[in-house]
Amino acid sequence: MLRWPRLLPRLLRHIGSDSILHLLEATCVGDHPADEYDGSPFAPAAASVAAWLPLDHLVPALMDNLSAADEEVAVNSAELLANIIQSAPELPACLSGKQSAVVCGSLVARVLGGEGAVVQPVDMGALNVLLKLLSRCRTRALAEGSSPGRGGEFPKDEAVSALADTLYESIENLFVALAAPPAHPARISRFLPGGGAEFPPSSARPRCALLALIEEALRMMHRGMAVALIDLGLFSLLLDMLLLPHSCNVLHMRVVSIIDFALTTSCDHGPELRRALVS
């Protein structure tokens, strides 16, 4: 009889196939809503099903797949990983507590690159996983009774602290990624004349996601990161995005959300954020 511990590695070898992705999503996360295009969340898997899923083995394997040479494998692994983080009853052990530092470091490096090396184009799959993880950590900390600041800052959490430290080390890369021109991923550009140079993609989607990451970074109550963002000219950049002609309302909404946080936060470095905003 083919048992799950033997079946899982075989399925992961073929996760570049959308049919295998949907099978794993249905098994690990739940069913698609009736209308999968209306933005509804997955119908969650039953608790009795979630209890036996080997997430502590599956999640590290999916994390490794984010850097796979086959882009379809990387994209589908990121989608499944983001859905697991969002929908699992509990975060897997490798993504929470003291064990999270190494995983969080590799995830941030996948999104932003290491020192002197910036990922281009932005890995949207890994970035979505990172944003889902930050959101889930905040929700978990609140559920455990931690109190956020008046402006919605993160409660104290070990996984958040690990992410804050690794983000702080790559904060300059975050700005480089935000300013970089967009580019098609290789799996798309290979079908376009001249590699897609004549058909540049919109910059709105990666910039919106990177702005969401900046907002999450500010909410971490990491003073060093807040000071670094101020020194790099965050608010001048945001005001330029807000006031210059635009073609994306979502981008404006992201900018306004960051400014609103700076105006309302009660964290220790809140006054510095407000001074930087008006100076």
Side-chain angles (χ1 to χ4, degrees), residues 107-130:
L107 184 56
V108 172
R110 181 65 195 163
V111 175
L112 299 177
E115 184 177 355
V118 181
V119 175
Q120 290 295 340
V122 173
D123 188 329
M124 291 301 298
L127 179 52
N128 185 44
V129 171
L130 181 56

Side-chain angles (χ1 to χ4, degrees), residues 149-156 160 164 168 171 214-231 234-235 258-278:
R150 184 167 63 90
E153 305 91 340
F154 268 98
K156 295 296 183 182
V160 172
Y168 177 60
I171 200 69
I214 288 175
E215 182 175 353
E216 298 292 358
L218 285 174
R219 291 181 185 275
M220 289 176 179
M221 296 186 286
H222 188 294
R223 187 178 183 280
M225 185 148 49
V227 171
L229 288 169
I230 291 171
D231 290 343
L234 171 64
F235 290 107
I258 297 173
I259 293 174
D260 178 68
F261 172 78
L263 291 173
T264 59
T265 181
S266 59
C267 65
D268 292 342
H269 50 267
E272 293 176 81
L273 294 175
R274 288 184 278 276
R275 281 195 298 271
L277 177 60
V278 300

Side-chain angles (χ1 to χ4, degrees), residues 81-275:
L81 185 55
N83 287 329
I84 288 173
I85 290 171
Q86 182 178 17
S87 305
E90 297 289 340
L91 272 178
C94 63
L95 294 177
S96 59
K98 296 179 180 179
Q99 301 180 55
S100 62
V102 174
V103 176
C104 292
S106 65
L107 184 56
V108 172
R110 181 65 195 163
V111 175
L112 299 177
E115 184 177 355
V118 181
V119 175
Q120 290 295 340
V122 173
D123 188 329
M124 291 301 298
L127 179 52
N128 185 44
V129 171
L130 181 56
L131 290 171
K132 285 289 197 305
L133 179 57
L134 287 166
S135 175
R136 185 64 188 270
C137 286
R138 186 188 336 198
T139 302
R140 182 188 61 186
L142 291 174
E144 292 173 353
S146 300
S147 298
R150 184 167 63 90
E153 305 91 340
F154 268 98
K156 295 296 183 182
D157 181 88
E158 288 181 340
V160 172
S161 296
L163 280 167
D165 290 339
T166 50
L167 271 176
Y168 177 60
E169 294 171 1
S170 303
I171 200 69
E172 291 185 0
N173 289 9
L174 178 54
F175 269 71
V176 173
L178 192 61
H184 291 291
R187 72 181 191 282
I188 303 297
S189 62
R190 62 179 175 164
F191 295 109
L192 299 174
E198 298 180 4
F199 307 94
S202 169
S203 62
R205 182 169 177 253
R207 285 180 178 169
C208 285
L210 289 166
L211 286 174
L213 182 57
I214 288 175
E215 182 175 353
E216 298 292 358
L218 285 174
R219 291 181 185 275
M220 289 176 179
M221 296 186 286
H222 188 294
R223 187 178 183 280
M225 185 148 49
V227 171
L229 288 169
I230 291 171
D231 290 343
L232 288 167
L234 171 64
F235 290 107
S236 296
L237 177 64
L238 293 179
L239 291 175
D240 284 345
M241 288 184 174
L242 188 64
L243 299 176
L244 291 176
H246 72 289
S247 58
C248 179
N249 287 333
V250 177
L251 191 65
H252 267 196
M253 292 168 65
R254 278 291 173 200
V255 170
V256 169
S257 181
I258 297 173
I259 293 174
D260 178 68
F261 172 78
L263 291 173
T264 59
T265 181
S266 59
C267 65
D268 292 342
H269 50 267
E272 293 176 81
L273 294 175
R274 288 184 278 276
R275 281 195 298 271

Side-chain angles (χ1 to χ4, degrees), residues 57-77:
H57 299 287
L58 175 60
V59 170
L62 293 174
M63 289 290 297
D64 290 341
N65 278 354
L66 295 181
S67 56
D70 186 333
E71 286 193 63
E72 296 297 339
V73 170
V75 168
N76 285 358
S77 295

